[in-house]
Amino acid sequence: MRNTKPLTALFVMVVSCVLCVAQPRVLIVTAHPDDESGCAATVYKITHELGGTADLAVITNGEAGYKYSTLANSIYGTELTNEEVGRKELPHIRKKELMAGGSWIGITNYFFFDQLDTYYTLDADTVLSMVWDVAWVKERLSKIIRDGNYDFVFTMVPTEETHGHHKAAGIIALQTVQALANKNVPVPVVLGMAGGRIDSTKPYTQYRGVAVTARDENAPIFEVDLLKKFGYNNKLDYRIIVNWLIAEHKSQGTMQTYMNIGTKENFIFFAMNGRNRIREAQKLFQALSESTP
Ligand SMILES: [Zn+2]
């Protein structure tokens, strides 16, 4: 009798590979409540159209956002724009707003790291060396990634012009995944949330001096088209989802003034993933381009 074991093993591999694309597991790693707006439609499509799951790890509670809370003063009945009041009240308010927004895009688990949101800066080095407890953040994030069996991590791209906290969150996520890979732990593919518009005249390469942040410049930019039409008379598109999410962030007054400009959610592929894993990202975004609500 023929030995069918190799065929059975092949069948299981094929089925599980199809499933891993069909039901992707994603961990989002950001700096502030509301940064997840940069992947809102993509995450919605993953959880609602592909049957996947998404969790969110957020490093600060965003209390430095008190300056933008003017419209929320009357909603919450307190003077959030007063720095002392805002820094005390915003951590719990912004957690609630984050989870309200996350409910529309299907986020399951929230991991709050409760690190200080000091002030706006472009400097990631000070944030990493003096403000956040980086060793503890990495240790906890490492455990979350090991336990979560994620296929992908979406994190912030440490571009020169972005907030130092965004840079630091991206660097921490990449270094944590790299450290696990170095121990031969199976790791997710890390993709960088690159916003709605990519400036082709100033393409991102890497954060100065930190090799793990390098983009694979031969990999494609992956994208979800927010303008893809669906529904009655093709009148609906994915900007609606993004607007649902940002509308929950009542204490942050400015997002609606610029978020609607974007027509895509772009993602870059980091070189540390290894070129052999580009295919996994291609399969995900191919599935996303074909799926509809
Ligand atoms: Zn932010």
Side-chain angles (χ1 to χ4, degrees), residues 29 59 113 115 127-128 132-135 137-139 141 145 155 165-178 212-213:
V29 181
I59 311 247
F113 285 70
Q115 299 298 292
V127 175
L128 290 167
W132 295 352
D133 184 346
V134 171
V137 171
K138 283 184 177 175
E139 187 184 327
L141 188 59
I145 292 170
T155 193
H165 294 171
H166 299 169
K167 293 182 177 98
I171 292 167
I172 285 174
L174 286 159
Q175 289 178 337
T176 302
V177 171
Q178 181 69 70
V212 77
T213 64

Side-chain angles (χ1 to χ4, degrees), residues 185-213:
V185 174
V187 291
V189 171
V190 188
L191 300 176
M193 294 151 50
R197 287 156 296 166
I198 288 186
D199 184 351
S200 55
T201 61
K202 284 193 302 179
Y204 172 80
T205 49
Q206 74 165 72
Y207 183 69
R208 56 188 153 77
V210 185
V212 77
T213 64

Side-chain angles (χ1 to χ4, degrees), residues 30-35 94 156 162-163 165-166:
T30 60
H32 309 115
D34 75 13
D35 292 338
R94 296 204 64 184
M156 325 280 302
T162 197
H163 195 315
H165 294 171
H166 299 169

Side-chain angles (χ1 to χ4, degrees), residues 2 6 31 41 54 73 88 123 126 142 150 158 170 175 178 185 194 202 226 229 243 245 253 255 261 265 278 290:
R2 276 179 62 194
N73 284 343
K88 179 166 174 283
D123 174 20
T126 307
S142 181
Y150 297 106
Q175 289 178 337
Q178 181 69 70
V185 174
K202 284 193 302 179
L226 299 182
K229 302 295 180 190
N243 277 294
L245 182 135
M255 276 194 294
I261 297 169
E265 288 177 359
I278 293 175
E290 291 165 2

